[in-house]
Amino acid sequence: MNARVREGDPWCLPAGWPPPVAAARRVSERLVAQLQGEIEAAGGWIGFDRYMESVLYAPGLGYYSAGARKFGAAGDFVTAPEISPLFVDCLAETAAWVLRRQGGGILEIGAGSGVLAAGLRRRLGELGLGCDYAILETSASLRQVQAETLAGTEAGLAGVTWLDRPPAAFRGLVLANEVLDALPVVCFRVERGQVREYGVGRQGAGFGWRPAPGAGRCPDWLEAGDLPEGYASEYRPMLGPWLATVTGGLEAGGALLLDYGYGRGEYYHPQRDGGTLMCHYRHRAHPDPFLLPGLQDLTAHVDFTAVAEAASAAGLAVAGYTTQLHYLMDSGIDRHLQRRAGAVGGADYLRLAQAAKTLMLPGEMGERFKAIWLARDDGTLPPGFRGKNFLHLL
Ligand SMILES: C[S@@+](CC[C@H](N)C(=O)[O-])C[C@H]1O[C@@H](n2cnc3c(N)ncnc32)[C@H](O)[C@@H]1O
Protein backbone atom coordinates (compact mmCIF):
# COMPACT_ATOMS: atom_id res chain seq x y z
CA MET A 1 0.00 0.00 0.00
CA ASN A 2 1.67 3.13 -1.12
CA ALA A 3 0.73 6.72 -0.34
CA ARG A 4 2.11 7.93 -3.67
CA VAL A 5 -0.63 6.38 -5.80
CA ARG A 6 -2.98 8.74 -7.63
CA GLU A 7 -6.43 7.36 -6.85
CA GLY A 8 -9.65 8.02 -8.74
CA ASP A 9 -9.11 7.96 -12.53
CA PRO A 10 -7.92 4.52 -13.54
CA TRP A 11 -7.07 5.50 -17.13
CA CYS A 12 -5.14 8.73 -16.52
CA LEU A 13 -1.60 7.66 -17.43
CA PRO A 14 1.66 9.45 -16.66
CA ALA A 15 2.98 11.52 -19.60
CA GLY A 16 4.66 9.47 -22.28
CA TRP A 17 3.11 6.10 -21.38
CA PRO A 18 1.49 4.24 -24.30
CA PRO A 19 -2.30 4.25 -23.82
CA PRO A 20 -4.18 0.96 -24.15
CA VAL A 21 -5.89 0.32 -27.49
CA ALA A 22 -9.63 1.08 -27.56
CA ALA A 23 -10.72 -2.58 -27.31
CA ALA A 24 -8.53 -3.14 -24.24
CA ARG A 25 -9.86 0.02 -22.61
CA ARG A 26 -13.43 -1.23 -23.13
CA VAL A 27 -12.56 -4.53 -21.39
CA SER A 28 -11.06 -2.53 -18.52
CA GLU A 29 -14.20 -0.37 -18.27
CA ARG A 30 -16.38 -3.50 -18.02
CA LEU A 31 -14.14 -4.88 -15.29
CA VAL A 32 -14.29 -1.59 -13.36
CA ALA A 33 -18.10 -1.51 -13.61
CA GLN A 34 -18.28 -5.12 -12.38
CA LEU A 35 -15.95 -4.46 -9.45
CA GLN A 36 -17.69 -1.23 -8.47
CA GLY A 37 -20.99 -3.14 -8.41
CA GLU A 38 -19.39 -5.78 -6.19
CA ILE A 39 -18.07 -3.11 -3.82
CA GLU A 40 -21.52 -1.48 -3.60
CA ALA A 41 -23.12 -4.86 -2.90
CA ALA A 42 -20.55 -5.55 -0.18
CA GLY A 43 -21.36 -2.28 1.64
CA GLY A 44 -18.61 -0.09 0.12
CA TRP A 45 -15.47 -2.15 0.81
CA ILE A 46 -13.69 -5.29 -0.40
CA GLY A 47 -10.36 -6.76 0.69
CA PHE A 48 -7.35 -6.01 -1.49
CA ASP A 49 -6.95 -9.76 -2.10
CA ARG A 50 -10.41 -9.83 -3.69
CA TYR A 51 -9.54 -6.77 -5.82
CA MET A 52 -6.25 -8.36 -6.92
CA GLU A 53 -7.94 -11.66 -7.72
CA SER A 54 -10.50 -9.87 -9.92
CA VAL A 55 -8.13 -7.59 -11.82
CA LEU A 56 -5.82 -10.54 -12.55
CA TYR A 57 -8.23 -13.44 -13.03
CA ALA A 58 -11.88 -12.32 -13.55
CA PRO A 59 -13.06 -14.59 -16.39
CA GLY A 60 -12.65 -12.85 -19.76
CA LEU A 61 -11.76 -9.52 -18.12
CA GLY A 62 -8.77 -9.98 -15.79
CA TYR A 63 -5.17 -9.40 -16.76
CA TYR A 64 -4.32 -13.10 -17.09
CA SER A 65 -7.77 -14.10 -18.39
CA ALA A 66 -8.22 -11.63 -21.23
CA GLY A 67 -6.20 -12.26 -24.38
CA ALA A 68 -3.56 -9.47 -24.37
CA ARG A 69 0.13 -10.29 -24.78
CA LYS A 70 1.90 -10.30 -21.41
CA PHE A 71 5.30 -11.95 -21.73
CA GLY A 72 8.40 -10.87 -23.62
CA ALA A 73 9.62 -7.65 -25.19
CA ALA A 74 6.19 -6.80 -26.67
CA GLY A 75 4.35 -7.53 -23.41
CA ASP A 76 4.61 -6.18 -19.87
CA PHE A 77 7.39 -8.22 -18.27
CA VAL A 78 9.91 -11.00 -18.98
CA THR A 79 10.36 -14.17 -16.93
CA ALA A 80 13.52 -16.29 -16.63
CA PRO A 81 12.49 -19.04 -19.11
CA GLU A 82 11.70 -16.30 -21.62
CA ILE A 83 15.14 -14.77 -21.03
CA SER A 84 17.18 -17.89 -21.72
CA PRO A 85 16.99 -21.64 -22.42
CA LEU A 86 19.87 -21.98 -19.93
CA PHE A 87 17.38 -21.45 -17.10
CA VAL A 88 15.28 -24.31 -18.47
CA ASP A 89 18.38 -26.53 -18.86
CA CYS A 90 19.04 -26.06 -15.15
CA LEU A 91 15.46 -26.85 -14.13
CA ALA A 92 15.76 -29.98 -16.28
CA GLU A 93 18.62 -31.14 -14.01
CA THR A 94 16.31 -31.12 -10.99
CA ALA A 95 13.47 -32.67 -13.00
CA ALA A 96 15.69 -35.45 -14.38
CA TRP A 97 16.92 -36.31 -10.88
CA VAL A 98 13.33 -36.61 -9.62
CA LEU A 99 12.19 -38.69 -12.59
CA ARG A 100 15.14 -41.09 -12.27
CA ARG A 101 14.49 -41.58 -8.54
CA GLN A 102 10.72 -41.59 -8.41
CA GLY A 103 9.44 -42.05 -11.96
CA GLY A 104 6.13 -40.32 -12.59
CA GLY A 105 5.77 -37.02 -14.42
CA ILE A 106 5.68 -33.26 -14.12
CA LEU A 107 2.89 -30.99 -12.91
CA GLU A 108 3.59 -27.40 -13.91
CA ILE A 109 1.48 -24.70 -12.32
CA GLY A 110 0.95 -21.39 -14.09
CA ALA A 111 2.77 -22.17 -17.33
CA GLY A 112 2.57 -18.66 -18.84
CA SER A 113 3.45 -18.72 -22.54
CA GLY A 114 4.45 -22.42 -22.39
CA VAL A 115 8.12 -21.68 -23.08
CA LEU A 116 9.30 -23.44 -19.91
CA ALA A 117 7.16 -26.52 -20.65
CA ALA A 118 8.40 -26.68 -24.24
CA GLY A 119 12.07 -26.37 -23.28
CA LEU A 120 11.82 -28.79 -20.38
CA ARG A 121 10.14 -31.45 -22.49
CA ARG A 122 12.77 -30.99 -25.19
CA ARG A 123 15.68 -31.36 -22.76
CA LEU A 124 14.15 -34.31 -20.88
CA GLY A 125 13.58 -35.98 -24.26
CA GLU A 126 17.29 -35.53 -25.08
CA LEU A 127 18.08 -37.21 -21.75
CA GLY A 128 15.76 -40.12 -22.57
CA LEU A 129 13.32 -39.06 -19.84
CA GLY A 130 10.19 -38.15 -21.79
CA CYS A 131 7.23 -38.19 -19.39
CA ASP A 132 3.66 -37.06 -18.89
CA TYR A 133 3.38 -33.29 -18.49
CA ALA A 134 0.31 -31.87 -16.78
CA ILE A 135 -0.40 -28.13 -16.63
CA LEU A 136 -2.60 -26.44 -14.07
CA GLU A 137 -3.44 -23.02 -15.44
CA THR A 138 -6.23 -20.66 -14.34
CA SER A 139 -6.27 -18.59 -17.52
CA ALA A 140 -8.21 -20.06 -20.47
CA SER A 141 -6.49 -17.69 -22.90
CA LEU A 142 -3.02 -18.69 -21.62
CA ARG A 143 -3.93 -22.39 -21.97
CA GLN A 144 -4.49 -21.61 -25.64
CA VAL A 145 -1.12 -19.85 -25.92
CA GLN A 146 0.60 -22.77 -24.17
CA ALA A 147 -1.03 -25.27 -26.54
CA GLU A 148 0.19 -23.27 -29.54
CA THR A 149 3.74 -23.07 -28.14
CA LEU A 150 3.86 -26.80 -27.39
CA ALA A 151 2.24 -27.79 -30.69
CA GLY A 152 5.16 -26.05 -32.43
CA THR A 153 7.75 -28.34 -30.77
CA GLU A 154 9.04 -31.69 -32.01
CA ALA A 155 7.22 -33.63 -29.29
CA GLY A 156 4.02 -31.71 -30.00
CA LEU A 157 1.20 -32.22 -27.53
CA ALA A 158 1.87 -35.92 -26.88
CA GLY A 159 1.60 -36.61 -23.15
CA VAL A 160 0.50 -33.03 -22.32
CA THR A 161 -2.75 -32.46 -20.44
CA TRP A 162 -4.37 -29.36 -18.98
CA LEU A 163 -6.05 -29.95 -15.64
CA ASP A 164 -8.89 -28.06 -13.96
CA ARG A 165 -7.71 -29.19 -10.54
CA PRO A 166 -4.56 -30.87 -9.18
CA PRO A 167 -4.43 -34.65 -9.65
CA ALA A 168 -5.71 -36.71 -6.70
CA ALA A 169 -2.63 -38.95 -6.80
CA PHE A 170 0.66 -38.57 -8.66
CA ARG A 171 4.43 -38.81 -8.27
CA GLY A 172 7.24 -36.75 -9.70
CA LEU A 173 7.83 -33.00 -9.79
CA VAL A 174 5.54 -30.07 -9.01
CA LEU A 175 6.99 -26.98 -10.66
CA ALA A 176 5.99 -23.32 -10.42
CA ASN A 177 8.09 -20.43 -11.67
CA GLU A 178 6.86 -16.91 -10.80
CA VAL A 179 3.41 -18.11 -9.78
CA LEU A 180 3.47 -17.45 -6.03
CA ASP A 181 4.01 -13.72 -6.61
CA ALA A 182 0.77 -13.63 -8.59
CA LEU A 183 -1.33 -15.04 -5.72
CA PRO A 184 -3.45 -12.25 -4.16
CA VAL A 185 -2.26 -10.37 -1.07
CA VAL A 186 -3.93 -8.59 1.85
CA CYS A 187 -2.56 -5.10 2.62
CA PHE A 188 -2.06 -3.54 6.05
CA ARG A 189 -0.68 -0.48 7.80
CA VAL A 190 0.44 -0.14 11.43
CA GLU A 191 -1.74 2.48 13.11
CA ARG A 192 -1.60 3.36 16.80
CA GLY A 193 0.33 0.18 17.50
CA GLN A 194 -2.23 -2.06 15.75
CA VAL A 195 -2.22 -3.85 12.40
CA ARG A 196 -4.96 -2.21 10.35
CA GLU A 197 -6.14 -3.98 7.17
CA TYR A 198 -6.57 -1.77 4.12
CA GLY A 199 -8.79 -2.76 1.22
CA VAL A 200 -10.55 -1.09 -1.65
CA GLY A 201 -13.50 1.31 -2.03
CA ARG A 202 -14.92 3.29 -4.94
CA GLN A 203 -13.25 6.60 -5.70
CA GLY A 204 -14.16 8.80 -8.65
CA ALA A 205 -14.31 6.68 -11.78
CA GLY A 206 -12.11 4.06 -10.17
CA PHE A 207 -10.83 2.87 -6.81
CA GLY A 208 -8.95 4.02 -3.72
CA TRP A 209 -7.53 2.58 -0.48
CA ARG A 210 -9.95 2.25 2.45
CA PRO A 211 -9.38 0.86 5.96
CA ALA A 212 -11.33 -2.30 6.71
CA PRO A 213 -14.60 -1.78 8.52
CA GLY A 214 -14.29 -3.42 11.94
CA ALA A 215 -11.22 -5.27 13.11
CA GLY A 216 -10.00 -6.53 9.72
CA ARG A 217 -7.72 -9.55 9.33
CA CYS A 218 -4.29 -10.11 10.88
CA PRO A 219 -2.34 -13.39 10.86
CA ASP A 220 -1.05 -14.77 14.20
CA TRP A 221 2.61 -14.22 13.35
CA LEU A 222 2.22 -10.53 12.44
CA GLU A 223 3.06 -8.32 15.43
CA ALA A 224 2.50 -4.57 15.03
CA GLY A 225 4.83 -3.99 17.98
CA ASP A 226 7.83 -5.12 15.94
CA LEU A 227 7.15 -2.52 13.23
CA PRO A 228 7.32 1.28 13.16
CA GLU A 229 4.13 3.37 13.28
CA GLY A 230 2.74 3.89 9.77
CA TYR A 231 4.59 0.84 8.37
CA ALA A 232 2.71 -0.65 5.42
CA SER A 233 3.13 -4.02 3.74
CA GLU A 234 1.18 -7.09 2.68
CA TYR A 235 0.85 -10.85 3.23
CA ARG A 236 -0.68 -13.74 1.32
CA PRO A 237 -3.43 -15.54 3.26
CA MET A 238 -4.22 -18.05 0.51
CA LEU A 239 -0.67 -19.41 0.27
CA GLY A 240 -1.26 -22.24 2.77
CA PRO A 241 -4.52 -23.53 1.26
CA TRP A 242 -3.07 -23.17 -2.25
CA LEU A 243 0.10 -25.16 -1.50
CA ALA A 244 -1.86 -27.85 0.35
CA THR A 245 -4.18 -28.20 -2.65
CA VAL A 246 -1.54 -28.36 -5.39
CA THR A 247 0.69 -30.82 -3.50
CA GLY A 248 -2.08 -32.80 -1.77
CA GLY A 249 -1.93 -35.66 -4.30
CA LEU A 250 1.89 -35.80 -4.46
CA GLU A 251 2.81 -39.27 -3.17
CA ALA A 252 6.55 -39.19 -3.93
CA GLY A 253 8.91 -36.57 -5.32
CA GLY A 254 8.91 -32.88 -4.52
CA ALA A 255 7.97 -29.33 -5.40
CA LEU A 256 10.38 -26.81 -6.93
CA LEU A 257 9.13 -23.24 -6.54
CA LEU A 258 11.04 -20.24 -7.86
CA ASP A 259 10.19 -16.59 -7.40
CA TYR A 260 11.41 -13.26 -6.10
CA GLY A 261 11.20 -12.88 -2.36
CA TYR A 262 12.86 -13.11 1.04
CA GLY A 263 12.70 -14.88 4.35
CA ARG A 264 10.30 -13.17 6.75
CA GLY A 265 12.92 -11.23 8.72
CA GLU A 266 14.14 -9.56 5.55
CA TYR A 267 10.68 -9.17 4.02
CA TYR A 268 9.25 -7.27 6.99
CA HIS A 269 12.42 -5.36 7.72
CA PRO A 270 11.53 -1.94 9.16
CA GLN A 271 13.33 -0.34 6.21
CA ARG A 272 11.09 -2.13 3.68
CA ASP A 273 8.24 0.23 4.56
CA GLY A 274 5.58 0.37 1.84
CA GLY A 275 5.80 -3.37 1.11
CA THR A 276 6.59 -4.94 -2.25
CA LEU A 277 3.34 -4.58 -4.18
CA MET A 278 4.35 -3.69 -7.74
CA CYS A 279 2.58 -3.19 -11.06
CA HIS A 280 3.93 -3.77 -14.56
CA TYR A 281 2.61 -2.14 -17.69
CA ARG A 282 4.64 -2.31 -20.91
CA HIS A 283 7.90 -2.73 -19.01
CA ARG A 284 7.15 0.19 -16.67
CA ALA A 285 7.19 -0.79 -13.00
CA HIS A 286 5.16 1.43 -10.66
CA PRO A 287 3.23 1.15 -7.35
CA ASP A 288 -0.36 2.11 -8.32
CA PRO A 289 -2.66 -0.96 -8.31
CA PHE A 290 -5.70 1.13 -9.25
CA LEU A 291 -4.30 2.18 -12.60
CA LEU A 292 -5.54 0.35 -15.73
CA PRO A 293 -7.56 -2.39 -13.94
CA GLY A 294 -7.15 -5.65 -15.83
CA LEU A 295 -4.54 -4.20 -18.18
CA GLN A 296 -1.48 -4.34 -15.94
CA ASP A 297 0.17 -7.07 -13.91
CA LEU A 298 0.02 -6.88 -10.10
CA THR A 299 2.57 -8.75 -8.05
CA ALA A 300 4.16 -8.84 -4.62
CA HIS A 301 7.32 -10.56 -3.44
CA VAL A 302 7.09 -13.95 -1.74
CA ASP A 303 7.55 -14.44 2.00
CA PHE A 304 9.51 -17.71 1.79
CA THR A 305 9.10 -18.29 5.52
CA ALA A 306 5.35 -18.41 4.84
CA VAL A 307 6.04 -20.92 2.04
CA ALA A 308 8.08 -23.06 4.43
CA GLU A 309 5.32 -22.91 7.08
CA ALA A 310 2.70 -23.81 4.50
CA ALA A 311 4.85 -26.69 3.26
CA SER A 312 5.36 -28.10 6.75
CA ALA A 313 1.61 -27.87 7.41
CA ALA A 314 1.05 -29.75 4.13
CA GLY A 315 3.39 -32.55 5.26
CA LEU A 316 6.31 -31.65 2.98
CA ALA A 317 9.93 -31.46 4.16
CA VAL A 318 11.47 -28.03 3.61
CA ALA A 319 14.78 -29.38 2.39
CA GLY A 320 16.44 -26.66 0.31
CA TYR A 321 16.35 -22.87 -0.04
CA THR A 322 18.83 -20.94 -2.10
CA THR A 323 19.27 -17.96 -4.39
CA GLN A 324 18.73 -18.26 -8.15
CA LEU A 325 22.44 -17.61 -8.59
CA HIS A 326 23.41 -20.63 -6.47
CA TYR A 327 20.59 -22.76 -7.85
CA LEU A 328 21.81 -22.18 -11.41
CA MET A 329 25.49 -22.68 -10.52
CA ASP A 330 24.75 -25.96 -8.75
CA SER A 331 22.63 -27.08 -11.72
CA GLY A 332 25.62 -26.64 -14.02
CA ILE A 333 24.71 -23.48 -15.93
CA ASP A 334 28.33 -23.09 -17.08
CA ARG A 335 28.25 -26.65 -18.49
CA HIS A 336 25.00 -25.90 -20.32
CA LEU A 337 26.46 -22.69 -21.69
CA GLN A 338 29.47 -24.60 -23.07
CA ARG A 339 27.23 -27.33 -24.51
CA ARG A 340 25.06 -24.77 -26.29
CA ALA A 341 28.07 -22.70 -27.34
CA GLY A 342 29.24 -25.57 -29.53
CA ALA A 343 25.99 -25.43 -31.49
CA VAL A 344 25.74 -21.67 -32.07
CA GLY A 345 27.80 -18.93 -33.72
CA GLY A 346 29.61 -15.98 -32.11
CA ALA A 347 26.72 -13.50 -31.87
CA ASP A 348 24.37 -16.15 -30.45
CA TYR A 349 27.01 -17.19 -27.93
CA LEU A 350 27.34 -13.59 -26.76
CA ARG A 351 23.56 -13.41 -26.38
CA LEU A 352 23.56 -16.63 -24.33
CA ALA A 353 26.40 -15.39 -22.11
CA GLN A 354 24.64 -12.04 -21.60
CA ALA A 355 21.41 -13.80 -20.64
CA ALA A 356 23.31 -15.98 -18.16
CA LYS A 357 24.57 -12.79 -16.53
CA THR A 358 21.03 -11.41 -16.27
CA LEU A 359 19.89 -14.62 -14.57
CA MET A 360 22.84 -14.76 -12.18
CA LEU A 361 24.17 -11.30 -11.34
CA PRO A 362 23.26 -10.24 -7.79
CA GLY A 363 22.05 -6.83 -9.05
CA GLU A 364 19.81 -8.49 -11.66
CA MET A 365 17.94 -11.74 -10.86
CA GLY A 366 20.67 -13.68 -9.05
CA GLU A 367 19.90 -12.82 -5.43
CA ARG A 368 16.38 -11.37 -5.39
CA PHE A 369 15.04 -14.59 -6.93
CA LYS A 370 15.05 -17.73 -4.79
CA ALA A 371 14.42 -21.43 -5.27
CA ILE A 372 12.87 -23.65 -2.62
CA TRP A 373 12.78 -27.46 -2.59
CA LEU A 374 9.86 -29.09 -0.77
CA ALA A 375 10.34 -32.85 -0.55
CA ARG A 376 7.87 -35.69 -0.30
CA ASP A 377 10.62 -38.26 0.25
CA ASP A 378 13.70 -38.67 2.45
CA GLY A 379 14.76 -35.05 1.85
CA THR A 380 17.87 -35.84 -0.21
CA LEU A 381 18.77 -32.68 -2.10
CA PRO A 382 18.45 -32.57 -5.90
CA PRO A 383 20.83 -30.68 -8.21
CA GLY A 384 20.41 -26.97 -7.60
CA PHE A 385 20.43 -27.20 -3.80
CA ARG A 386 23.68 -29.03 -3.02
CA GLY A 387 25.83 -25.91 -3.12
CA LYS A 388 24.62 -23.15 -0.80
CA ASN A 389 21.59 -23.87 1.37
CA PHE A 390 20.12 -20.83 3.14
CA LEU A 391 17.44 -22.61 5.19
CA HIS A 392 18.61 -20.66 8.24
CA LEU A 393 17.23 -17.47 6.64
CA LEU A 394 13.65 -18.78 6.70
C1 LIG B 1 4.01 -14.47 -14.04
S1 LIG B 1 3.27 -15.75 -14.91
C2 LIG B 1 4.58 -16.93 -14.95
C3 LIG B 1 4.53 -17.80 -16.14
C4 LIG B 1 5.60 -18.89 -16.30
N1 LIG B 1 5.65 -19.78 -15.18
C5 LIG B 1 6.97 -18.32 -16.58
O1 LIG B 1 7.88 -18.52 -15.79
O2 LIG B 1 7.12 -17.67 -17.62
C6 LIG B 1 2.10 -16.44 -13.77
C7 LIG B 1 1.33 -17.63 -14.34
O3 LIG B 1 0.61 -18.27 -13.27
C8 LIG B 1 -0.75 -18.44 -13.65
N2 LIG B 1 -1.49 -18.54 -12.37
C9 LIG B 1 -1.65 -17.59 -11.45
N3 LIG B 1 -2.33 -18.06 -10.38
C10 LIG B 1 -2.56 -19.37 -10.63
C11 LIG B 1 -3.20 -20.41 -9.91
N4 LIG B 1 -3.75 -20.19 -8.71
N5 LIG B 1 -3.25 -21.65 -10.46
C12 LIG B 1 -2.70 -21.87 -11.67
N6 LIG B 1 -2.10 -20.92 -12.42
C13 LIG B 1 -2.03 -19.68 -11.90
C14 LIG B 1 -1.02 -17.26 -14.55
O4 LIG B 1 -2.17 -17.38 -15.32
C15 LIG B 1 0.28 -17.28 -15.38
O5 LIG B 1 0.26 -18.29 -16.34
Side-chain angles (χ1 to χ4, degrees), residues 1-11 17 28 31-32 35 48-49 51-56 63 185 187 198-200 206-210 234 274 276-280 285-300:
M1 194 176 32
N2 195 303
R4 285 175 293 145
V5 301
R6 295 164 315 123
E7 302 170 348
D9 182 346
W11 300 289
W17 287 28
S28 181
L31 177 62
V32 167
L35 260 168
F48 187 80
D49 48 342
Y51 174 83
M52 185 166 169
E53 185 187 1
S54 296
V55 295
L56 292 183
Y63 178 74
V185 294
C187 295
Y198 270 72
V200 183
F207 307 101
W209 291 107
R210 298 282 181 280
E234 66 282 319
T276 68
L277 187 64
M278 195 47 69
C279 314
H280 295 101
H286 69 94
D288 186 351
F290 304 126
L291 202 62
L292 299 172
L295 302 182
Q296 64 171 359
D297 187 31
L298 261 63
T299 162

Side-chain angles (χ1 to χ4, degrees), residues 24-169:
R25 162 118 185 202
R26 281 195 296 278
V27 172
S28 181
E29 286 170 353
R30 282 173 50 210
L31 177 62
V32 167
Q34 182 174 301
L35 260 168
Q36 290 197 332
E38 182 178 333
I39 290 171
E40 286 296 306
W45 186 91
I46 57 171
F48 187 80
D49 48 342
R50 174 62 194 151
Y51 174 83
M52 185 166 169
E53 185 187 1
S54 296
V55 295
L56 292 183
Y57 306 112
L61 301 176
Y63 178 74
Y64 282 110
S65 321
R69 171 123 202 213
K70 292 140 189 81
F71 308 95
D76 300 297
F77 57 86
V78 186
T79 60
E82 305 270 344
I83 289 173
S84 175
L86 294 170
F87 180 81
V88 184
D89 289 343
C90 290
L91 264 54
E93 295 288 322
T94 308
W97 179 87
V98 175
L99 295 172
R100 287 191 181 109
R101 267 170 64 104
Q102 307 287 3
I106 294 177
L107 169 64
E108 185 184 351
I109 304 162
S113 66
V115 164
L116 172 55
L120 202 48
R121 278 164 55 78
R122 191 178 298 120
R123 181 69 187 139
L124 289 172
E126 287 168 7
L127 298 171
L129 288 165
C131 65
D132 287 346
Y133 203 103
I135 296 176
L136 188 64
E137 170 59 64
T138 34
S139 161
S141 80
L142 281 178
R143 284 185 183 205
Q144 187 62 38
V145 175
Q146 291 154 16
E148 284 162 17
T149 304
L150 288 163
T153 63
E154 199 180 323
L157 296 175
V160 183
T161 46
W162 280 265
L163 307 176
D164 292 322
R165 63 190 65 84

Side-chain angles (χ1 to χ4, degrees), residues 321-340:
Y321 173 64
T322 193
T323 61
Q324 181 164 297
L325 166 65
H326 289 291
Y327 174 81
L328 295 175
M329 286 195 336
D330 193 55
S331 305
I333 190 167
D334 49 347
R335 194 166 29 87
H336 295 299
L337 179 61
Q338 293 314 319
R339 179 174 56 81
R340 286 183 176 272

